[in-house]
Amino acid sequence: MEIDPFIFRLSIFVLAIFVGYYVVWSVTPALHTPLMSVTNAISSVIIVGALLAVAVDLLAAGEGGWIAKIFGVIAVALASVNIFGGFLVTQRMLAMYKKKEKK
Amino acid sequence: MEIDPFIFRLSIFVLAIFVGYYVVWSVTPALHTPLMSVTNAISSVIIVGALLAVAVDLLAAGEGGWIAKIFGVIAVALASVNIFGGFLVTQRMLAMYKKKEKK
Amino acid sequence: MTADLAALLYLVSGVLFILALRGLSNPESSRRGNNLGMIGMAIAVGTTLAVAAPPDALTWGLIALGVAVGGTVGAITARRIAMTAMPQLVAAFHSLVGLAAVFVAAAALYAPQAFGIGEVGNIHMQSLIEMSLGVAIGAITFSGSIIAFAKLNGNMSGAPIILPARHILNIAIFGAIIALIVMLVMSHGADTWTFWAITVLAIVLGVTLIVPIGGADMPVVVSMLNSYSGWAAAGIGFTLENSALIITGALVGSSGAILSYIMCKGMNRSFISVILGGFGGEVAHAAGKTETRPVKLGSAEDAAFIMKNASSVIVVPGYGMAVAQAQHALHEMANKLKKEGVKISYAIHPVAGRMPGHMNVLLAEANVPYDEVFELDDINSQFPTADVAYVIGANDVTNPSAKTDPKSPIYGMPILDVEKAKTVLFIKRGMGSGYAGVENELFFRDNTMMLFGDAKKMTEEIVKALG
Amino acid sequence: MTADLAALLYLVSGVLFILALRGLSNPESSRRGNNLGMIGMAIAVGTTLAVAAPPDALTWGLIALGVAVGGTVGAITARRIAMTAMPQLVAAFHSLVGLAAVFVAAAALYAPQAFGIGEVGNIHMQSLIEMSLGVAIGAITFSGSIIAFAKLNGNMSGAPIILPARHILNIAIFGAIIALIVMLVMSHGADTWTFWAITVLAIVLGVTLIVPIGGADMPVVVSMLNSYSGWAAAGIGFTLENSALIITGALVGSSGAILSYIMCKGMNRSFISVILGGFGGEVAHAAGKTETRPVKLGSAEDAAFIMKNASSVIVVPGYGMAVAQAQHALHEMANKLKKEGVKISYAIHPVAGRMPGHMNVLLAEANVPYDEVFELDDINSQFPTADVAYVIGANDVTNPSAKTDPKSPIYGMPILDVEKAKTVLFIKRGMGSGYAGVENELFFRDNTMMLFGDAKKMTEEIVKALG
Ligand SMILES: NC(=O)c1ccc[n+]([C@@H]2O[C@H](COP(=O)([O-])OP(=O)(O)OC[C@H]3O[C@@H](n4cnc5c(N)ncnc54)[C@H](OP(=O)(O)O)[C@@H]3O)[C@@H](O)[C@H]2O)c1
Ligand SMILES: NC(=O)c1ccc[n+]([C@@H]2O[C@H](COP(=O)([O-])OP(=O)(O)OC[C@H]3O[C@@H](n4cnc5c(N)ncnc54)[C@H](OP(=O)(O)O)[C@@H]3O)[C@@H](O)[C@H]2O)c1
């Protein structure tokens, strides 16, 4: 009984929606701004797609290959802005949240 | 790139653990007793395995077939006790939780 | 039915089970949740029947027979059982799930084709590992739950039975089980005797692990076994490649673990020590000590008089209320007092009674509206402004030594601040201590009045005295 | 690297992203969470480089170039940006994700082999559908976020720009996009012009959907686009058969949806109307009305005197504090007052400021310890016992008409009960109304003192007056 991998991906998607729902509701309101910046950062996993495009084999891909490579490089650069910018700005913000110092 | 379905099942398992964690924590303490009985009821999905055992094809299975069939019937009966008992007792309990009547 | 459609339907039933638990986040949605759970189960069963259709009329008949017999027993039990017997019932149901898992694994061993995991004497290694883990955990759950049932139901003394050298014994059995699993896997499932040997040893292990644990600790055990059985179900789900089982296993596994965690935290015990199963036995039941300090005694008439003239009363129920089945009398008393213009609320400690949510379900049974029932965090600040705290069959959950005495076994456990009420009425049969076996300082306070007697009888007398 | 191992590693990075968000449940664990998120991203990138290894040095060079350029820009921006500019920054970053999605989809169209989804001019139908949905949502996110950025950053007037017949226009564009998607799919991806037409139209749609929305509503738009882009990422995840992308897409999708829901609920607007995008424009800015009733005016010296003699002060910051960048002065004032023995706490309304958590991050920036900062539910009961409510640049979140006047646009929104404090100090520049454009009854109350001036300057003067 071979099952189409799509069904599995769908299962993963459905369960991830449940996880997302709960995990985000459990974020404390005080950290909603860092939440916005960190989700922005992680949404740049789209870089995975960009890397696949850059790595295209020019011999096998034919004329479209160069186009894909160039688009890929641009996408890599755009996603990198987000990855570095997103995680670093979040880190900077989170570093500011401090407890009262015990004296 | 064929991926072993086991990896998918593992993903489903891991995500389901997250979902379970959150979903159970969000149960109100007032309903912890029904929670115990309803998880008992749903854990009887093991009946799926029992049904497969009963449905074994005696011609193809050879001598072990009858053994599997009998074990299967017993497991079906045991699981059915839980399914009916678990859901009905939960229903009975939940029916008791009432709000103050508005007069 | 194609395998894809079946996989999709199993996913749907898994999601319905998630929604069933999600419904329990409040009483309003819980009934719909339970119905969704039933639909999920129906889908799982229907899908299995469609995808592995029974080949002949005989098979259909056998299935119908199994469902009819099991279903009838289950339905009758569900209807008849007393609400106070819920802990036993869950333990009993639990042992059945464990046993069913053992039979399913055995069937898979004798007819692996039916499950698509190989052939007799030549079963896939991974499946054999999953299967033997499943059968071992299933068997432990089976016998462990039976012991828990017997202790809770009073068929067996609740006292811990300490076996000689029990830790060594348990480790030896555990080692033997592992060795047998290896043998079974090496033989590719041909050596069926090893399978049965695993089963028998695991049943023994279930007994030796649980008998040393005191009867009052059984709820934690039940919940822990619940968690184990969830992981076992997930294991079998991997063997059967069934996502409904995998999802359910994870849900049940989490649920049991979280409930035992909640109980342990409420009792201020360590979760790890419970999970490892090496706990119990040393529960200090120091009840014997005779106390000589005087207490203020009261009668039903005194209590009726005090409460009639109060403007707010907080009822604190505990295990004694469950034992005495006093919930209905309690509700009658509350109604009488409400007619006199007294405000009544109920304060429930997270581990009041012997099972999570124990008090809530009993009060619900007696028709107490759930919006008059409050959790510890929500009501604790109300005691200073309350005129009366009516403590009925509760003891440990009110004991201030949890806050003040670092040597007390319950030190650190959160406590209902009943002593801050103007008057505290304690309804219990005598000076007996509670589950934790510690003296309760409150009995000797000036603003405390002790009402000795059975919780139900005493409450009924108060109702009479209220006229 | 085998495909199985890669799939496993993608799962690991998905789980790390979940843990990153989970860490945000409290400030303590949040820093570790962010690190886990970075590790997750590193694993996802590393896995991709291993499984689809760049074939030559040139490719490696190109990747290094892209990462170096993008990373530098990102890192510098992250370091330089002012905390008050966070809404703009998120919008800007967002548009980049949208654009990246467009380029990835385009690359897949021109070199489908690299993604295993067919060949040029003969791409799998399912992949084409997923791809064109991805590119359309990506393009809308791109242009919509740019508009949001421009409005928030002041590069463009925040006033709603109402296009003639905008609803018909939007529906027409939407229909055209659908038609083009069908054409692209029918041609099996051969008609590349349709792809670009979809992109252009979606960019236009992003603009026409967002320009009619007022500048102050942009945070909801940003969050909504965030949610959309999450679903788009999940779609591309299906095309690339990548579970890290699928999990991330679901996380981002939920996060955006929940944050817009929280904002809408806090503002008492309907979530559905926001999600459909047909809202905004009708925000009532009735600020013009000249009010003639007298108010009690005060000076910095008065305020300093009152607070010095208070025993507890609750600070209520709002959007005006962010505009004036008054958080540092505020903290200085709080420290001075603490030395005088005054108890200071901060009360944060869920939608104070212009972005969820806006006030918290600004106070954190000024080194205010987060355990002095309370949410509405936790502090609202404290106002009756507080001597002073120091309302700095907040307005709507204190307006009692939300409780009393069913005709008010903010009716039903929960409110900080500042008026219950003995004295209310309002620091603002004049009688201007807030975001919702409604008159605030409190200004005319007897226990209110108005301190007109810029929030930062006024607070600094108070600090001086405190000596
Ligand atoms: N809820 C859970 O999940 C859970 C699980 C495991 C353990 N526990 C433990 O159980 C305890 C629960 O505390 P609790 O305050 O509810 O109960 P408790 O401390 O065990 O006290 C119960 C009291 O009820 C009295 N009582 C017994 N039968 C009675 C009757 N028929 N009429 C009137 N009074 C009667 C007993 O005193 P007399 O003998 O003087 O009458 C006893 O002191 C905690 O220590 C908790 O840690 C709870
Ligand atoms: N947080 C979110 O997620 C979010 C998102 C979208 C919308 N909103 C909305 O934003 C509003 C937030 O309420 P709020 O009370 O924080 O702010 P507000 O009601 O918008 O009031 C801000 C007040 O600050 C004053 N102000 C402006 N600049 C100032 C300066 N430099 N110095 C001193 N005062 C200054 C203004 O009065 P003067 O002109 O008289 O100085 C104004 O009345 C709510 O209506 C909410 O629905 C929030």
Side-chain angles (χ1 to χ4, degrees), chain C residues 216 219-220 263 266-267 317-320 323-324 350-356 393-397 413 427-436 453-455:
Chain C
V220 186
M263 284 192 262
M267 302 190 300
Y319 177 62
V323 175
V351 292
R354 286 292 178 273
M355 175 171 72
N395 187 346
D396 295 345
V397 300
M413 153 169 163
I427 289 78
K428 58 203 301 286
R429 293 162 312 175
M431 293 296 287
S433 60
Y435 169 84
D454 176 76

